[in-house]
Amino acid sequence: MTGPCDGLAVVEVAVGVSDLGLGLAGGLPGRMLADLGATVTRVVGTEPIEIDRGVTWTRSWHRDKQVVATDDPVQIAALLATADVALVYGDEPVVEQRGLGYGDVSRTNPALVYARCRPSRTGAGAVDDFGLLVEARAGFCTQLAGHRPGPTFVDVRAPGSGAAFLLTTSVLALLNRRAATGEGGWADTSLYDGMLATLGCMIGRPERAKPDVESYWQHGSTFPNFLYRCADGELIQVWFGGKGMYVALLDVLGDEPSPNGYYDDQITGALNDRALRWRSLFATQTRDVWIERLRAAGVACEPVLHPGEVLSDPHVTEIGLSVPLVHDGHDDLVAGSPIAVAPLVDHPVEAVDGKPADPSEGPVAVAGTAGGPAPVASGDRLLEGLRVVDFSAFVAGPLGAQVLADLGADVIKVEPPAGEAMRAAAYAVAACQRGKRGLALDIGDPAARPVVERLLDWADVVLHNFRVGVSTRLGIDEAVVGERNPGAVYCHASGFGTGGPRATSPGNDALMQALTGFEVAVGGAGNDPIAGTWIPIDMTGGWVAAIGILAGLYAKATTGRGQQVATSLLGAGMALQSGVFQRDGEVIPGPELDGGQTGYGPGYRIYEAADGEWFALVVPDAAAWERLRGVVVDAVLPATYAPLRGGTDDALARDAELALEVGFKAASAAEWVTRLRAADVLVEPIEPMDRDQFRRGILDDPVNRLLGRVASYATADWGWFEQIGPLLRCGPSAGGGPAGRIPRVGEDTVGVLEELGFDAGAIEVLLGADVARQLRT
């Protein structure tokens, strides 16, 4: 496969680390770079991690990678000496002390882009590289109500997915700098950073805020999920936040009209009452009937599927999100790349002197752009000087632009004069608008056209997440951008992709949780599905959009040609479940959450002790299993190491699980943690905590503040505000963080218009006609 990363050599060093423990972090970055054209060599140890035996997720993550099994640091260093990119995992004895750290390998290969995933460190100390232990230490296990009291094993693998996106983003940002300067560099992250990368809409603390805003950050969402069981027992996810959908839904259901509309019903609680009432209505017809009726009325809905089932959907196949492979005589379907990158125009872009761009001569300024590639100076942030116009709304698009702002880009946020719809959801604004400038403009008004055109001419990157067809109507589609600014990177972050039979379907976080199996995975075997309340797929969509844009910028830097980038919420949601695949028409799920929502088996789950408190236990190998047997003497554990359900030792695993459940009732959680740690068994206590305690644990941790995981700054509306900060740590000379600000509606309108060349008279006309708005302070 060719693509933006064609010709790049990537080496993954995954010696002594677990695929199960790292999750997506250990395989998805290399997979995404391979899908973008890189050649990937994966280095593993000669002795596989025993808990990974039989874990099938790696079939999708490591396909087509060249695997080298070695423990020899000299051999590994030789591979790194000729690599363009290194993805390195593990603790210091396995990496730094063997001469495989950045300081050592960069002396041999100074142009190397080196991304390191280290064990997680907070003020409470270090945690081994197992996502469950990271979640337990932070208290994430306590933040989603399950089917029973107490903490749950939240089967979203948030640490691994977030770390995967941080690693991939960092690599591509550093590659862009290397294309301009020839310099390599390093990036540093962890599973804990990865968990935080998914929680931007969940964690914030204002000095002052409206009661409903502070209540969300302190207690979480009370919004109903609108997930219903139909007459045939199947489940349907409904969403009606789009224009006219609420009225249409009430009509289809035969429910009484709403006098004051959707938002008033939401605020007064009437919507919650309706949501309960609708349960009996949906139970009167089969799911297929409801889907047909609702879609015909313009109401968005999706079937609730298990992980992996969507791979055989015809739309998914047509747009390349499902890839057929043949392996050992079997027909497999695996998740495809969530990112597509191609030249913006179908001919080479001419340089400013009229001569064709020559990629061999390095980056060039191209005709139609505002100054060519962004300047990169020593000490500046990675994207210093890059100009981004962000036409997007809601979460995924704005978060993608915010990631670019965190890396130093100048981002202009364009929204209607009354503000975009998500302004009502302050948590989303806080999580996705940091560091931008605010331009309030009615881009659909003909009088705004000159402004839109100058924005398109000004930008190095144009981003939007409108439904397919809307950008054409507004005159900001890829054809228009390609004609006016052929050297730009144009990104459309859609719901269902830019092509295929469902391209125009509405999509949001809840619908994609249903379609991609996210809700079923979290609910546990045999239970009703449970939705993640922190907008996880929207957040994932934002990171994927940022990665796609950075890949487009790299292609532009190495070819001199503008690029068009396509990402989707559907692709982002499928990436989270990409370890699951189909073989000969059957889903191969890998480890699955049990009905008790405790984990994957006796060696990777949470347990309740005699005092009602809980702890997380990981048993990575047979030696640890023997030590465990020596500690829990009242439990009759089989001598055979059987840490996970579902494999060839499924019966033994289930027997061991039951024995440990009984055995751990003999003492308190604190006692078990002490005993198990004394025996060198991996264990973490799970402290009971509400949302406010959870956010304080993140925002007040001294190590988090030291490492920049917490951003603090003054805001006009909330006073002093604290949130999860930029999590991208890169060097050398990658500069500081973003501007500490969240733009209010129209806060920078006049300044931006002046910068675009409009004089005072023209600006006054736009403001007087309400085509543009300047915030008056």
Side-chain angles (χ1 to χ4, degrees), residues 89-97 116-130 133-134 137-138 188-196 684 697-698 701-709 727 729:
Y89 306 86
D91 57 17
E92 278 70 14
V94 178
V95 180
E96 277 80 0
Q97 293 178 21
R116 180 85 161 85
C117 186
R118 298 179 183 275
S120 301
R121 287 178 173 82
T122 66
V127 185
D128 287 86
D129 274 333
F130 290 90
L133 300 179
V134 172
R137 171 72 65 86
D188 189 287
T189 193
S190 67
L191 291 182
Y192 181 81
D193 288 295
M195 183 191 72
L196 296 185
E684 279 293 329
I698 292 170
D701 184 283
V703 172
N704 288 351
R705 290 182 174 272
L706 180 66
L707 292 179
R709 291 169 175 158
L727 298 166
R729 295 188 296 275

Side-chain angles (χ1 to χ4, degrees), residues 526-549:
N527 296 328
D528 283 343
I530 294 178
T533 57
W534 56 96
I535 326 183
I537 293 183
D538 268 344
M539 296 294 290
T540 299
W543 282 104
V544 170
I547 291 167
I549 291 168

Side-chain angles (χ1 to χ4, degrees), residues 369-414:
T369 69
V376 180
S378 178
D380 287 346
R381 293 176 289 168
L382 289 173
L383 299 183
E384 195 78 40
L386 186 78
R387 290 169 291 210
V388 180
V389 57
D390 174 17
F391 290 110
S392 63
F394 301 102
V395 174
L399 177 60
Q402 179 180 282
V403 172
L404 303 181
D406 284 346
L407 289 166
D410 178 8
V411 180
I412 294 177
K413 162 72 176 180
V414 183

Side-chain angles (χ1 to χ4, degrees), residues 269-533:
L271 185 57
N272 292 56
D273 296 336
R274 288 181 184 271
L276 292 174
R277 186 160 71 236
W278 294 341
R279 291 179 181 176
S280 60
L281 298 178
F282 276 98
T284 63
Q285 300 287 343
T286 64
R287 182 169 69 187
D288 286 346
V289 169
W290 282 121
I291 288 177
E292 182 179 0
R293 292 177 61 184
L294 290 171
R295 288 181 179 170
V299 178
C301 61
E302 295 297 335
V304 179
L305 303 182
H306 285 73
E309 288 185 336
V310 74
L311 287 167
S312 53
D313 182 283
H315 172 78
V316 169
T317 302
E318 182 172 331
I319 65 174
L321 287 176
S322 179
V323 178
L325 301 173
V326 176
H327 181 72
D328 292 338
H330 296 283
D331 293 322
D332 292 351
L333 280 177
V334 300
S337 174
I339 298 167
V341 182
L344 181 58
V345 295
D346 59 4
H347 54 81
V349 177
E350 291 188 343
V352 292
D353 61 0
K355 297 178 181 179
D358 183 355
S360 66
E361 296 179 358
V364 293
V366 293
T369 69
V376 180
S378 178
D380 287 346
R381 293 176 289 168
L382 289 173
L383 299 183
E384 195 78 40
L386 186 78
R387 290 169 291 210
V388 180
V389 57
D390 174 17
F391 290 110
S392 63
F394 301 102
V395 174
L399 177 60
Q402 179 180 282
V403 172
L404 303 181
D406 284 346
L407 289 166
D410 178 8
V411 180
I412 294 177
K413 162 72 176 180
V414 183
E415 62 184 316
E420 67 153 287
M422 286 304 284
R423 285 283 177 179
Y427 57 87
V429 173
C432 303
Q433 307 297 355
R434 178 179 60 230
K436 303 178 185 180
R437 293 192 284 163
L439 168 63
L441 182 73
D442 181 0
I443 63 175
D445 192 306
R449 189 63 197 170
V451 181
V452 172
E453 290 179 347
R454 292 196 194 182
L455 284 169
L456 298 181
D457 295 345
W458 170 88
D460 298 299
V461 174
V462 177
L463 166 65
H464 75 86
N465 60 350
F466 294 118
R467 285 170 63 179
V468 170
V470 174
S471 62
T472 301
R473 176 169 56 82
L474 294 173
I476 59 169
D477 61 295
E478 61 270 30
V480 171
V481 175
E483 182 178 355
R484 297 193 63 88
N485 189 351
V489 171
Y490 175 90
C491 179
H492 184 183
S494 65
F496 279 85
T498 56
R502 301 209 58 199
T504 59
S505 297
N508 78 337
D509 181 90
L511 297 172
M512 296 307 172
Q513 286 196 45
L515 193 59
T516 61
F518 188 102
E519 292 175 333
V520 169
V522 174
N527 296 328
D528 283 343
I530 294 178
T533 57

Side-chain angles (χ1 to χ4, degrees), residues 57-118:
W57 292 336
T58 58
R59 167 69 181 126
S60 178
W61 297 339
H62 304 321
R63 68 181 191 274
D64 302 326
K65 298 177 183 176
Q66 179 185 359
V67 178
V68 176
T70 181
D71 298 303
D72 182 0
V74 175
Q75 185 178 356
I76 299 171
L79 289 169
L80 295 176
T82 58
D84 296 288
V85 175
L87 295 162
V88 183
Y89 306 86
D91 57 17
E92 278 70 14
V94 178
V95 180
E96 277 80 0
Q97 293 178 21
R98 301 176 72 188
L100 301 175
Y102 175 73
D104 292 305
V105 299
S106 63
R107 281 193 288 271
T108 303
N109 186 357
L112 180 68
V113 168
Y114 181 101
R116 180 85 161 85
C117 186
R118 298 179 183 275

